[in-house]
Amino acid sequence: MSQTAIIAPKTILERLEILADAAKYDASCASSGTTKRSSAGGKGIGSTEGMGICHAYAPDGRCISLLKILLTNHCVFDCHYCINRKSSNTRRARFTPQEVVDLTLSFYRRNYIEGLFLSSGIVKSSSNTMEQLIEVARILREEHDFRGYIHLKTIPEADPELVARAGLYADRVSINVELPTVAGLTRLAPDKSATQIEGAMTSLKDSIVEAKDARKRFRNAPKFAPAGQSTQMIVGADAATDSDIVGRASTLYGSFGLRRVYYSAFSPIPDASAVLPLKRPPLMREHRLYQSDWLMRFYGYAPHEVQQAAGADGMLPLDIDPKLAWALQFRGDFPVDVNRAPRERLLRVPGLGVRAVNALIAARRQRRLHLADVGKLTVSVAKVRPFIIAEDWRPLLLTDRADLQALIAPKRSEQLELFAS
Amino acid sequence: MTPFRDMRIAEAFQVSLAAPDDFEGWRDVARRLVRADIPPDRIVWDSPADQSADLFANGDRRLPAPPADAPQPRASRDFLQLAQSAILHTDSSRFPLLYRLLWRLQAQPRLMDDKADSDVRRIDELARQVRRDIHKMRAFVRFRLIEEADGERYVAWFEPEHHILRANAAFFVRRFNTMRWSILTPRGSMHWDAKTLQEGPPAIREDAPSGDPVEDLWRKYYASTFNPARLKIGAMLKEMPRKYWKNMPETALIPELIAGAQAREARMVDAGAQDFGEKPTTLGQIAEAIQSCRRCEIGCNGTQAVMGEGPESAALMIVGEQPGDQEEMQGRPFVGPAGKLLRAHLEDAGISEEQSYVTNAVKHFKFVPRGKRRLHQNPTAKEIDICRWWIDGERALIRPRLVLALGASAARSLLGRTVSVQKERGVPHVLDDGSELWLTTHPSYLLRLQDQGRADEEKKFANDLRKVAARLSELTR
């Protein structure tokens, strides 16, 4: 391949357009869960307060919390699902580390963002690219005393020492597992290796745990990625079922101490590779996976229980949420008495969230709860009713009715698939 | 009009608070009233921002003195926390609600745990709305930079829904401690000079600067980070309701982004979707169809397509990259210099022409004109991928036992991924139909080399062909 034409240097505005566009397929934009910092006392700029802030929302419903860009979208890798792959016909651009720093600070001072989420295509070598990413974080932290949020995407193929340095500047580090199955990864990301990705995630986890330990003993021990590590899986680009994905996610949470697993519904990209499916999976599928993720993290469901909510084809139903699907399959576990049942059982009732369960438990210490009381604490008592017993309510045969799903499932909204032909 | 001489009028007390968010003032008065045993329905609350039109608003402004031995009122910690938020709400019923709760807490100390109680639910709701407004202000304030005589100042115009400005100022002090900034609102303003915080009078939008050059970058970022393939307008509106839009520079783009999104996605899918229709059933059909194929740019350059050649029963299929200058003019594959070199090597390796079908991964000639010459150009991965339909058609009809790919383009066509020929040559790969694929360099690559380099590479090339010949005789034995 030859570089024949000399391309005129692009303006900051043009490059921002290209490099933000190239970064947008990463779902994560979280800026929460890090240590509390502020610039009170007249030093530095910025603060973090535990809870992240979404400074805007795009019409895709996603939160804009961080300046999410690539340092460059030139890439020597050729991953089929990626718009920046070597063989893609996309426009290319690059920022210098200083340019990213200036952009971050001028956005931050105007209160547009919580900080920076920086990633990059691989240029020259993985280690060289990683060094550039770290340099941006270093300038922000050391030269500008920046106390906002920094999320660095780390490159699994880079020198482990560099990855370790990234954690000293960043609040969060992440490595994308990309695809739920190794077969998918081999087929769609031929330059990446599952072993290498997992190896890098393990060493990040070790560094995070080690630094936490050290800080328990020495107050001044350096912090290492205080907001932990996360990862992303692309859904719908390979043949993995929801059941596969749920299994994989729970392994990831377990083995690598991840804070979050993000699911990104594969979306058609310009100049797509012929190996990819043309149409995206329904966005609802991504939503159902997040719901099942929540069930495992906050509702005490074991991975195999979430998998039980899936149909014979291993897919979670799209028309009802996984919690309701599980309840419909295990009707013997219901109804649950809101005045006596333990917390774990109450959390299984479709329509009762964590907050509602907390309120019910606090309220029932005061007096016996009637159906009307439950109604005041939930969004829809009609949905909850078949699964509970209250002081003045017993569902009788309702729980066993064959058409229960039709009675409580939301009316199917055609908007789910606005673009389906 | 008959004077309305109700006992309640005579005994009603009017309390005027200093400010609508005056929690301390409310607490002091409320404590005193509870100790004096004044029930909730005999108090009328008022503040500068809550112009109460209450019938009994002409009550006694002198507060009763509580008996000296009256106990201190009790209030649970969660009530105090909620009250501090709820008092910032604009709903003027917040003062009586808070007092009613405080009053009830004296008899029912655990009242706040009864989340189904309507007063408890109401204070929860008010506090939640206030907290949300506080959060949204932290999120949606947009500073604009101005130059003042003594330096830079960042100024924002914001319209909060509730009385949160004072309560929220500390956040901006913590975050932008070293900047000088002002937040102007219709109910008051806050100014920070990097050392002290000062309150100012209510402002109007025109007091704030009307723009900032960095907003162009921000708008560009907002538009670019939006993924048109996933439109979730409801999710956006839920978190960023329209009432906030007017003071955010990026929101003016939303209508056009939404309108353009569907079209953009459809274009992407269309560009990828190549509806080739029914699979060809004869080589003749392919030969005819490729002449009119316009599915990629090469197909549209006005050259003639070149079909593969050889017996339909061939056990070996040799795949090159694309026709060259000579091939295009004659309409036959491998008739130029590279073809001659290939034929010589095939003969040396003992592979006969009757055994082999030769064709190309891409059917049209891609070039750039240089004077009278046409300089070869590599096809892009995309172009190779599109043309795979035809080579797959040829493979399905000829069903070769063995396929030999010459060079990286042919290898990509057959394997569907970018391949390093040097790393993967000399060993068999299995294709999806069970046939074997071998990789080697393209003969035109050999032609570009000189001296020792060429001799070395030709040796490797010959070596690869010998292996293919041996394997071929094994397979066809």
Side-chain angles (χ1 to χ4, degrees), chain A residues 24 39 44 46-47 49 55 57 59-60 62 66 68 78 80 110-111 114 271 280 286 367 376 419, chain B residues 114 121 138-139 141-142 174-175 177-178 212 215 221-222 226-227 229-230 232 262 382 416 418:
Chain A
K24 73 183 168 200
S39 49
S47 64
E49 317 218 330
H55 284 271
Y57 290 81
D60 54 16
R62 278 178 171 168
L66 304 171
K68 181 161 57 177
D78 200 25
H80 288 288
R110 287 164 180 80
N111 203 39
E114 289 291 289
D271 199 30
R280 60 175 169 77
E286 181 189 287
R367 57 198 172 76
K376 286 179 191 164
F419 303 124
Chain B
D114 187 357
R121 278 178 64 215
R138 294 174 181 184
V141 155
R142 297 285 183 262
R174 286 194 298 275
R175 174 158 291 192
N177 201 278
T178 47
D212 183 315
E215 286 177 0
Y221 175 69
Y222 181 78
F226 159 59
N227 182 353
R230 32 183 310 151
K232 281 190 170 177
Q262 225 161 324
K382 175 101 185 170
T418 306

